[in-house]
Structures are given as structure tokens and as C-alpha cells.
């Protein structure tokens, strides 16, 4: 999904929530266009299940899912890899009439999920974390288990029933304590129902793993890897786990023990099943890692976007979160920054744009025109509830870039932070743009004399090189490496 322009957002509501919004649509891209196309081969999901309401539900939700996760990730080698894994699992599915459509999502999040009708999704972030084919197969077989058990349909029915019940409670009981308790009980029932579904999908998934010839113990092994990655990112304020697997798939000792118990039906751990490590690592060598070029890059306290040709810095102590729809930064003392943009081919006057109604609480007498590193700009102040805001808009060509800085009402830091943002915003030079390269997974073979520490030192994109190297390669704090072993590093 190429970011040639910035799509328009109608109204921004000022307040803490406005800075933390996330949506399915990137402000740095045109509206998502579905890539579902007819095939010359009639054996497609659409053909096999065209009269299946479950498949219709999946097809309806597919564009929204893809847009939410930054579009589809296309790489022939990686797509063949995932298709090979999915094909082996499909061959042992409990429902031979069920066909599957697998999509790799262009997201660094660690996730995989399914929609009714056989729509399967896996993120490139999950592929980067996995260390062999059986681990990816474990995740996909779990999601295929949800499809087999019709969990999507059951979950939707249960949620619809709870929504109706909640409305009745809210309307009849208003803010009464009994009403609140009824709503809470409804949410607990949904949560319990969901956990039972997860356990059922685990059982189906482990059976499929073993029957497809993969290591049936891959599921608990990869659950451990995901938990280790979650611990790594939880110590990093710049991370966002809201779209990750463990946020919706509870990683409990009960699940791990259950998976191991069912895996024992196929044999002893380490003595049964194919991990598919070597061909898997070959398949992900060169896989995009972290931010994609379409979303721009975070490098320390700097945001850079080569396609748009712009960059800016946030103050020390702020953490940047490069979301699909905007760049957010949070700082000490409840300060926050939001950066996004809109297309403006009509070249609207910047003061007029500021006062056109998209900013609630704008103070008209604070609007002033300025220059930012030779670029036309305008600023204004706004106030809402417990917050004070600086709003700065900067024109580059037919695009208007927007900074929204929020501080607690009365804070003296507003001008300091806003000034730093404004002064740091500039167009990138051609040399800077050409030097900006995405990070990728590189699979290397350990040479004699190389150690965990020496290979970790080659990692890029993180200050915690040794820790991330161990997490990505599922190495314990005491594990060593041997010559000839293949490992993953992150570099350009």
C-alpha cells in the first residue's frame, strides 16, 4: 500500500483521547483497495464457498482487517513458505470441504487469527519471531481450529446477545448499581466463553500439527517465545502490544500443559515430528522487520519518512509510537504529541485552515503565520477540559502536516515542546532519503570464534541488542551458539 498522498480526516477532537486514537486507515495513504481478484483457477475460497454465509462474513471483513494491519505483505519467497505450511495443515483438516485463504499482513505486531469461512492471517512480525516452520504451523493450526469449530459464528452470536442485553440493562436500570453489575457479569461470561474456545482450538491445533508431520511440541515452545517477546516489549515504552497475539490469546500454564499433554500422543518431546527449521529460515531471510517504508521510520528520538521526504525530532524523554494512522509520542508529566497530515490540493490559507472548524476549542486570537525552516506554517492555541494545546500546521507541496501538542492545563512546558517540534521539522535531503533503508531479518551462519555477544553487536534498530538477539533466536540467558548454526540478526 504505497503512501503517495495523505488521506483526509474530517474532525480532530482535542483531548487526551484525541492523541491516542487508532483507526483502520492510515493518514499517510489513500483508502485501502481490496486485493481480492478473480482467479483463473476455480478452486478458490470464493468459488468453493460462494454460497457459504461464513465465507461471506470473512470476505466482508477482509478489507477492514488488511487495512488495520498496514496492508498485505508481498514477497514471493515468504508467501511460498507460508503457503507450504498452510497446505500441509489443510491436508489433515477435520473438515476436508473447508478451503483457506492465507494473507501475510504487513505489520510488525506478533499476531495471527482467522475469520469465518477460512480467512487466515499471519503478520510478518510473527514470522520474524518464529524459529522454524512447526512454530508457525502451531499458530496457524490453532486458528484453523477456530474455523473448524465455528468459533467465529458462535462468538458473534454471543456478543450480539450480550449487546442487546446490555442495552436493556442500560435503558431500564440506568446508572443503578445492579445495572453495572449486570454489565460486568456479561463481560465475564464473554471472556470465559472465549477462553474455552481457545482451549478447544489448542486441542484441534496440536492434533493437526502431529498428523501433518510437524513437531507437535511447537505450540508450547512458541508460546514461550511470544511470552519472552512480550516481556521484552513491556520494558520498552515505545512498543504497542494492542494488536499482538497475547493480548487476545491468554498465555497460561494451563494452555501450555494442555498442549504438551496432547502432543505426547505422538511421541516424546524432541523425538517426533519435523521442525522444518532450515527451509523456514531460508524462507524468511530478508523479511522486512519493524517499521515499513510506507509508514516511515523511528530512529531514536527522530521520525523520518523517505517517501514523504520529511523528518522531525521529539524532546528527550519522549517515546515515539509510529501507528498506522498517526505518529504519537508520549512524554513526562502527561505530555503528548500527535503528528499526522491531510492532502490540500486547493492550497488553503493556513490561518483559514486552522480556523475552519476541525479544531475544537481553538482560540482565534492566537492564530499566527510563521516560517518553519523555510516552509509556510501557522500556529494557534486551544483549550479543552484539563488540557492546553499547541496546534501547528506546515505546508509541504499540496500536503499539510499537523502537530498537536497537549500538556496539562497551565503547564509551562507547552511552548518549549512545541518550539522544539517546529524547529526540528524539515524536508529531508536527497542524500538522507537514499541512505534511509528498512530493517530486515538476516539469517547468518555462525563462524568459528563468533559468540552470542559478537553477533548481537551486529543488530540494528535497538539499544538492547543482546536481549533482542536472544529473544528472536529463542536463546536462554545461558545458551551458547556453535559454528555452523544459523541465527537471525536484524540489519539493513
Amino acid at each position: 500500500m504505497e503512501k503517495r498522498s495523505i488521506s483526509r480526516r474530517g474532525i480532530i477532537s482535542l483531548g487526551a483521547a484525541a492523541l491516542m486514537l487508532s483507526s483502520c486507515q492510515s493518514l499517510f495513504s489513500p483508502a485501502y483497495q481490496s486485493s481480492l481478484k478473480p482467479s483463473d483457477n476455480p478452486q478458490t475460497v470464493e468459488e468453493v464457498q460462494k454460497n457459504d454465509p461464513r465465507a461471506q462474513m470473512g470476505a466482508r471483513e477482509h478489507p477492514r482487517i488488511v487495512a488495520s494491519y498496514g496492508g498485505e505483505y508481498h514477497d514471493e519467497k515468504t508467501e511460498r513458505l507460508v503457503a507450504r505450511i498452510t497446505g500441509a495443515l489443510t491436508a489433515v483438516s477435520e473438515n476436508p470441504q473447508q478451503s483457506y485463504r492465507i494473507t501475510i499482513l504487513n505489520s510488525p505486531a506478533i499476531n495471527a487469527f482467522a475469520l469465518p469461512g477460512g480467512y487466515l492471517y499471519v503478520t510478518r512480525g510473527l514470522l520474524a519471531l518464529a524459529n522454524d516452520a512447526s512454530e508457525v504451523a502451531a499458530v496457524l493450526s490453532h486458528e484453523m481450529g477456530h474455523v473448524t469449530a465455528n468459533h467465529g459464528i458462535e462468538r458473534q452470536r454471543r456478543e450480539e446477545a450480550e449487546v442487546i442485553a446490555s442495552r436493556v440493562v442500560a435503558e431500564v436500570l440506568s446508572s443503578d448499581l445492579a445495572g453495572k453489575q449486570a454489565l460486568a457479569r456479561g463481560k465475564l461470561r464473554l471472556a470465559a466463553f472465549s477462553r474455552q474456545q481457545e482451549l478447544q482450538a489448542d486441542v484441534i491445533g496440536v492434533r493437526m500439527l502431529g498428523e501433518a508431520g510437524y513437531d507437535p511440541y511447537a505450540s508450547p515452545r512458541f508460546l514461550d517465545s511470544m511470552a519472552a517477546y512480550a516481556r521484552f516489549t513491556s520494558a520498552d515504552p515505545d512498543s504497542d502490544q494492542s494488536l499482538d497475539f497475547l493480548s487476545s490469546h491468554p498465555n497460561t500454564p494451563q494452555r501450555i500443559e494442555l498442549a504438551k499433554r496432547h502432543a505426547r500422543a505422538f511421541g516424546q518431546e524432541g523425538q517426533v515430528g519435523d521442525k522444518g527449521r532450515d527451509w523456514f529460515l531460508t524462507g524468511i531471510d530478508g523479511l522486512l522487520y519493524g517499521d515499513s517504508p510506507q509508514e516511515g521510520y523511528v530512529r531514536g528520538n527522530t521520525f523520518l519518512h523517505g517517501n514523504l521526504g520529511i523528518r522531525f525530532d521529539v524532546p528527550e524523554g519522549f517515546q515515539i509510537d509510529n501507528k498506522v494512522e498517526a505518529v504519537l509520542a508520549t512524554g513526562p508529566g502527561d505530555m503528548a504529541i500527535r503528528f499526522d497530515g491531510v492532502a490540500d490540493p486547493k492550497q488553503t490559507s493556513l490561518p483559514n485552515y486552522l480556523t475552519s472548524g476541525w479544531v475544537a476549542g481553538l482560540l482565534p486570537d492566537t492564530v499566527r503565520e510563521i516560517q518553519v525552516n523555510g516552509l509556510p506554517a501557522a500556529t494557534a492555541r486551544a483549550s479543552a477540559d484539563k488540557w492546553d494545546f499547541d496546534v501547528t500546521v506546515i505546508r509541504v507541496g499540496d500536503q499539510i502536516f499537523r502537530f498537536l501538542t497537549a500538556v496539562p492545563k497551565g503547564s509551562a512546558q507547552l511552548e518549549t515542546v512545541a518550539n522544539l517540534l517546529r524547529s526540528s521539522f524539515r524536508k529531508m535531503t536527497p542524500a538522507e532519503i537514499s541512505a534511509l533503508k528498512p530493517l530486515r531479518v538476516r539469517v547468518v551462519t555462525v563462524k568459528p570464534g563468533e559468540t552470542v555477544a559478537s553477533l548481537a553487536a551486529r543488530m540494528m534498530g535497538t539499544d538492547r541488542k543482546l536481549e533482542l538477539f536472544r529473544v528472536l533466536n529463542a536463546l536462554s540467558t545461558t545458551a551458547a551458539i556453535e559454528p555452523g548454526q544459523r541465527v537471525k540478526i536484524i540489519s539493513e
Side-chain angles (χ1 to χ4, degrees):
M1 187 166 60
E2 185 180 357
K3 291 183 177 176
R4 290 187 291 259
S5 64
I6 299 179
S7 61
R8 185 177 301 277
R9 173 176 287 272
I11 298 175
I12 288 186
S13 171
L14 292 180
L19 293 169
M20 308 312 291
L21 286 175
S22 63
S23 74
C24 299
Q25 181 60 41
S26 170
L27 285 173
F28 296 111
S29 65
Y32 172 74
Q33 298 295 320
S34 174
S35 61
L36 288 173
K37 298 176 181 178
S39 172
D40 294 332
N41 182 351
Q43 291 300 109
T44 64
V45 171
E46 292 86 345
E47 279 296 314
V48 174
Q49 300 176 268
K50 62 184 178 182
N51 296 319
D52 186 343
R54 293 169 298 182
Q56 292 168 7
M57 183 187 301
R60 189 169 60 247
E61 292 297 311
H62 176 76
R64 181 184 65 82
I65 291 294
V66 171
S68 298
Y69 280 83
E72 296 185 27
Y73 180 75
H74 293 295
D75 177 86
E76 187 176 346
K77 181 172 63 171
T78 308
E79 289 175 288
R80 282 200 306 267
L81 167 73
V82 173
R84 175 178 176 179
I85 296 171
T86 307
L89 295 172
T90 302
V92 298
S93 171
E94 292 184 3
N95 181 4
Q97 302 303 315
Q98 177 70 64
S99 55
Y100 291 92
R101 183 189 197 278
I102 181 74
T103 299
I104 303 175
L105 297 168
N106 188 21
S107 170
I110 314 294
N111 214 344
F113 45 90
L115 292 178
Y119 286 77
L120 292 177
Y121 303 89
V122 62
T123 60
R124 59 175 171 82
L126 186 145
L127 297 177
L129 179 62
N131 276 282
D132 58 53
S134 69
E135 292 182 351
V136 176
V139 175
L140 291 180
S141 64
H142 171 92
E143 299 306 329
M144 292 166 82
H146 282 307
V147 175
T148 298
N150 282 329
H151 285 165
I153 299 291
E154 292 180 17
R155 182 78 174 268
Q156 184 188 49
R157 289 172 181 163
R158 178 63 67 93
E159 288 177 346
E160 287 174 350
E162 286 296 342
V163 167
I164 293 171
S166 298
R167 285 176 183 162
V168 172
V169 167
E171 291 170 3
V172 175
L173 300 175
S174 186
S175 61
D176 182 89
L177 177 61
K180 294 180 180 178
Q181 291 174 338
L183 290 173
R185 282 195 301 272
K187 291 181 179 179
L188 287 173
R189 283 197 300 273
L190 275 179
F193 185 72
S194 177
R195 281 195 296 271
Q196 184 58 37
Q197 288 179 327
E198 298 297 346
L199 294 174
Q200 186 180 4
D202 283 343
V203 173
I204 296 172
V206 171
R207 184 200 60 74
M208 291 176 65
L209 263 185
E211 292 192 2
Y214 288 115
D215 176 9
Y217 293 88
S219 179
R221 190 169 68 245
F222 194 53
L223 281 170
D224 285 339
S225 283
M226 285 189 287
Y229 184 80
R231 289 192 296 271
F232 173 81
T233 53
S234 68
D236 180 4
D238 190 25
S239 68
D240 175 20
Q241 299 174 52
S242 63
L243 293 177
D244 280 0
F245 190 87
L246 291 180
S247 67
S248 58
H249 296 70
N251 181 25
T252 63
Q254 178 191 15
R255 289 189 67 196
I256 292 176
E257 181 51 41
L258 180 69
K260 287 183 177 180
R261 188 166 76 242
H262 285 277
R264 292 186 192 111
F266 295 92
Q268 291 299 310
E269 187 170 3
Q271 299 179 13
V272 62
D274 179 25
K275 291 185 177 180
R277 177 175 169 82
D278 194 57
W279 58 268
F280 174 80
L281 290 177
T282 298
I284 65 166
D285 188 21
L287 180 73
L288 188 65
Y289 184 84
D291 296 332
S292 70
Q294 291 79 12
E295 305 299 338
Y297 304 103
V298 175
R299 298 289 187 264
N301 275 30
T302 303
F303 175 77
L304 310 99
H305 201 302
N307 290 3
L308 297 173
I310 54 101
R311 58 173 291 164
F312 64 86
D313 303 320
V314 300
E316 291 294 326
F318 276 72
Q319 297 289 340
I320 303 178
D321 188 359
N322 185 17
K323 290 183 176 292
V324 172
E325 65 114 17
V327 179
L328 305 177
T330 53
D334 292 329
M335 293 185 290
I337 297 164
R338 177 188 171 105
F339 171 80
D340 62 18
V342 293
D344 182 41
K346 295 182 179 179
Q347 300 286 306
T348 308
S349 157
L350 292 180
N352 288 345
Y353 177 74
L354 275 177
T355 57
S356 62
W358 63 278
V359 180
L362 187 80
L363 305 175
D365 58 347
T366 64
V367 176
R368 60 190 179 95
E369 287 191 88
I370 59 172
Q371 289 275 317
V372 172
N373 290 319
L375 299 169
T379 70
R381 292 294 174 87
S383 181
D385 298 325
K386 300 177 181 179
W387 303 89
D388 288 333
F389 299 89
D390 179 276
V391 187
T392 297
V393 293
I394 305 169
R395 184 185 303 285
V396 177
D398 63 355
Q399 310 287 350
I400 296 178
F401 294 100
R402 313 187 294 193
F403 284 109
L404 186 66
T405 305
V407 301
K409 191 172 287 292
S411 172
Q413 293 297 311
L414 181 58
E415 188 64 27
T416 302
V417 173
N419 277 338
L420 188 147
L421 285 170
R422 282 193 290 265
S423 62
S424 69
F425 182 92
R426 64 175 175 82
K427 295 173 67 174
M428 295 176 66
T429 66
E432 287 175 323
I433 293 173
S434 63
L436 191 61
K437 294 181 174 60
L439 299 177
R440 297 186 181 276
V441 175
R442 302 295 182 187
V443 178
V444 299
T445 301
V446 179
K447 298 176 182 177
E450 289 185 320
T451 64
V452 168
S454 66
L455 283 169
R458 296 166 58 183
M459 297 275 286
M460 300 176 64
T462 178
D463 295 330
R464 300 156 62 196
K465 299 184 177 188
L466 180 59
E467 192 176 350
L468 182 58
F469 178 79
R470 289 191 181 278
V471 169
L472 288 180
N473 290 285
L475 297 171
S476 69
T477 55
T478 57
I481 53 177
E482 301 177 353
Q485 182 178 346
R486 301 178 78 194
V487 294
K488 297 176 288 184
I489 64 172
I490 304 302
S491 66
E492 292 181 343

